[in-house]
Amino acid sequence: MLYLIGLGLGDAKDITVRGLEVVRRCSRVYLEAYTSVLAVGKEALEEFYGRKLILADREEVEQEADDILKDADVSEVAFLVVGDPFGATTHSDLILRAAKLGIPYRVIHNASIMNAVGCCGLQLYNFGETVSIVFWTDSWRPESFFDKMEKNRQNGMHTLCLLDIKVKEQSLENLIKGRKIYEPPRYMSVNQAAQQLLEIVQNRRGRGEEPGLGPLAELRVCAGFLHPEPFPV
């Protein structure tokens, strides 16, 4: 049996009672460590759960998923996810792989930024499409997230923006050369995200366009949260 278990948004104690019971009896427990992070480290989780955890980075989850699913048809394996298990498409892919192999699975949900964002005082019903704001590079500066924010604004909706996290990422050069050398981890701040949004506004105005966020687009209110998963606009 494969269990996908949400850990919530705070610390080790945010896991549900059912989730903790499963973790303590599984033969292997993986901790997904690249789509988001908790306020506490792996050691604190191990101390509270009373067992060892296996860190699962992007490379292992996306390229070596068979190792995670190994023997899950005859034993119990847990895959721990910060927030809720369905907060990233990677986790859905793991379920699809399990189903294809005939491995039964169960999902134990928990709080996610998708509903916890209500703490800022905005009604959840008034949020439009969620977007991810990614780190720009010298040669890659996508603006598609801004287009979705414009559409939400035009429809009178708020936007939840998930800010980029880079953990155990390779540079393009090292990736091409097959060198297992990884860049230092980076976590996008609210200020960095806002700066990219402002640059898009300025660039579009330079092309004679008026952003759909309105003539005072750069003055729109942003609420930033200290949790690694981002801010509503």
Side-chain angles (χ1 to χ4, degrees), residues 174-193:
N174 288 329
L175 184 63
I176 292 174
K177 294 183 177 180
R179 297 185 299 206
K180 297 292 185 178
I181 301 175
Y182 301 99
E183 300 294 299
R186 292 190 296 157
Y187 306 91
M188 181 179 284
S189 68
V190 172
N191 285 344
Q192 288 173 309

Side-chain angles (χ1 to χ4, degrees), residues 27-197:
S27 59
R28 299 195 313 277
V29 181
Y30 293 89
L31 174 62
E32 189 264 86
Y34 68 92
T35 60
S36 190
V37 293
L38 281 176
V40 296
K42 171 174 171 283
E43 294 75 16
L45 297 180
E46 290 178 330
E47 181 179 358
F48 184 73
Y49 299 161
R51 61 163 310 138
K52 292 293 184 180
L53 304 180
I54 304 170
L55 282 180
D57 56 30
R58 180 186 299 275
E59 184 175 314
E60 180 166 7
V61 177
E62 296 184 353
Q63 300 178 25
E64 302 172 9
D66 289 344
D67 291 341
I68 296 175
L69 298 175
K70 183 179 180 180
D71 297 329
D73 55 335
V74 294
S75 62
E76 293 184 308
V77 176
F79 186 78
L80 310 184
V81 180
V82 176
D84 187 82
F86 289 120
T89 54
T90 297
H91 311 138
S92 299
D93 179 68
L94 192 61
I95 288 179
L96 292 175
R97 289 172 181 266
K100 186 176 181 179
L101 294 172
I103 297 172
Y105 66 88
R106 294 287 185 274
V107 178
I108 300 177
H109 296 283
N110 208 319
S112 166
I113 192 62
M114 303 297 285
N115 62 312
V117 68
C119 71
C120 69
L122 302 177
Q123 292 294 322
L124 295 180
Y125 290 110
N126 292 331
F127 276 83
E129 184 175 358
T130 297
V131 304
S132 294
I133 300 181
V134 298
F135 279 114
W136 280 346
T137 67
D138 293 337
S139 59
W140 188 60
R141 300 167 68 88
E143 298 184 359
S144 56
F145 54 83
F146 189 87
D147 296 328
K148 294 177 181 179
M149 293 172 67
E150 282 190 311
K151 183 177 180 181
N152 285 343
R153 184 65 189 179
Q154 291 165 0
N155 291 332
M157 312 294 281
H158 311 301
T159 303
L160 174 63
C161 302
L162 307 180
L163 308 190
D164 203 2
I165 292 177
K166 297 293 186 185
V167 179
K168 201 176 179 181
E169 298 273 346
Q170 294 172 274
S171 67
L172 181 59
E173 179 182 356
N174 288 329
L175 184 63
I176 292 174
K177 294 183 177 180
R179 297 185 299 206
K180 297 292 185 178
I181 301 175
Y182 301 99
E183 300 294 299
R186 292 190 296 157
Y187 306 91
M188 181 179 284
S189 68
V190 172
N191 285 344
Q192 288 173 309
Q195 183 59 46
Q196 289 189 185
L197 294 175

